[in-house]
Amino acid sequence: MAKYFDVHPDNPQPRTIHQVAESIRDGALVVYPTDSCFALGCRLGSRDGIDRIRTIRHLDDRHHFTLVCRDFAQLGQFVHVDKDVFRAIKASTPGSYTFILPATREVPRRLLHPKKKTVGVRIPDHVVAQALLAELGEPLLSSTLLLPDDEEPMTQGWEIKERLDHAVDAVVDSGDCGTEPTTVIDFSGGEAEIVRRGAGDTSRFE
């Protein structure tokens, strides 16, 4: 059964955040809130976590996983960002955007798009997600919690606990999350390409 953590949305309890981070370090797959919707998250090097996310969401090897980072300095360790792209991303973070960029050698090969060698990165504007990232000290490997037969992501932590009780190890609940996933911008070709229109405003990339 998944552990259930009730976290204050504005003042996350440090002890609870520490417990969640420790479980992730130990290999747990968790559901946690972001500024767009709930997400599945595990440690970057967790092969088991990646396989479980693929199974839960029915994903193939062309799916872009996302590295959810605490800040721009951390993001820069995992993707190559040139000056023009740097300015565009810097102006949009933290926020509800995922950026697809060429990956550095810090990213495990199994996370990369098989042909493009790219990966998604983002910096969330969410108090609880940021607290967890700060405690963890490394990015979370993540994917939006959208189940194969659902049209929209779930918004209630208790509902997620009921439906995924035996599929995940923990659910972090700080209140309702939205149903709109991040806006996805692909910069891997040098120019901004809008892959998915979501919670983030696309006007600056058009």
Side-chain angles (χ1 to χ4, degrees):
M1 290 178 62
K3 293 181 180 178
Y4 182 80
F5 296 96
D6 189 6
V7 180
H8 194 282
D10 301 314
N11 298 290
Q13 304 91 314
R15 186 166 177 263
T16 303
I17 294 297
H18 177 74
Q19 287 179 298
V20 177
E22 280 297 296
S23 69
I24 293 169
R25 290 189 189 101
D26 290 339
L29 175 62
V30 305
V31 175
Y32 70 101
T34 77
D35 50 342
S36 56
C37 42
F38 278 103
L40 293 156
C42 67
R43 197 170 188 182
L44 179 58
S46 175
R47 184 184 294 273
D48 176 66
I50 296 166
D51 291 343
R52 290 166 70 188
I53 291 173
R54 288 191 190 280
T55 299
I56 290 169
R57 291 205 55 202
H58 295 185
L59 301 174
D60 60 26
D61 64 357
R62 295 186 302 276
H63 177 75
H64 265 112
F65 282 99
T66 299
L67 303 184
V68 178
C69 301
R70 181 185 181 188
D71 53 28
F72 211 92
Q74 191 177 72
L75 180 148
Q77 297 174 36
F78 297 93
V79 288
H80 295 289
V81 185
D82 67 26
K83 288 182 180 179
D84 291 337
V85 173
F86 174 92
R87 284 193 290 268
I89 295 178
K90 187 77 170 173
S92 307
T93 55
S96 301
Y97 297 91
T98 298
F99 301 99
I100 297 172
L101 290 159
T104 68
R105 292 184 180 182
E106 298 293 318
V107 182
R109 286 177 61 108
R110 61 183 174 275
L111 299 184
L112 304 181
H113 187 283
K115 291 183 179 178
K116 296 181 178 180
K117 307 305 179 191
T118 49
V119 71
V121 287
R122 91 179 202 86
I123 302 170
D125 186 14
H126 191 280
V127 173
V128 175
Q130 279 289 345
L132 184 55
L133 291 165
E135 179 68 27
L136 194 60
E138 61 184 73
L140 269 169
L141 170 66
S142 291
S143 183
T144 302
L145 178 54
L146 178 61
L147 300 182
D149 296 326
D150 290 358
E151 291 186 7
E152 290 188 337
M154 288 179 282
T155 62
Q156 305 278 347
W158 62 265
E159 180 189 9
I160 295 168
K161 170 84 163 71
E162 283 188 356
R163 289 186 63 183
L164 296 179
D165 207 19
H166 297 287
V168 301
D169 300 305
V171 176
V172 180
D173 188 6
S174 64
D176 289 7
C177 272
T179 58
E180 199 169 18
T182 57
T183 290
V184 179
I185 310 293
D186 188 344
F187 273 114
S188 61
E191 298 289 327
E193 177 189 348
I194 301 169
V195 176
R196 179 178 71 195
R197 295 177 188 273
D201 179 19
T202 60
S203 61
R204 70 185 65 186
F205 301 105
E206 294 177 299

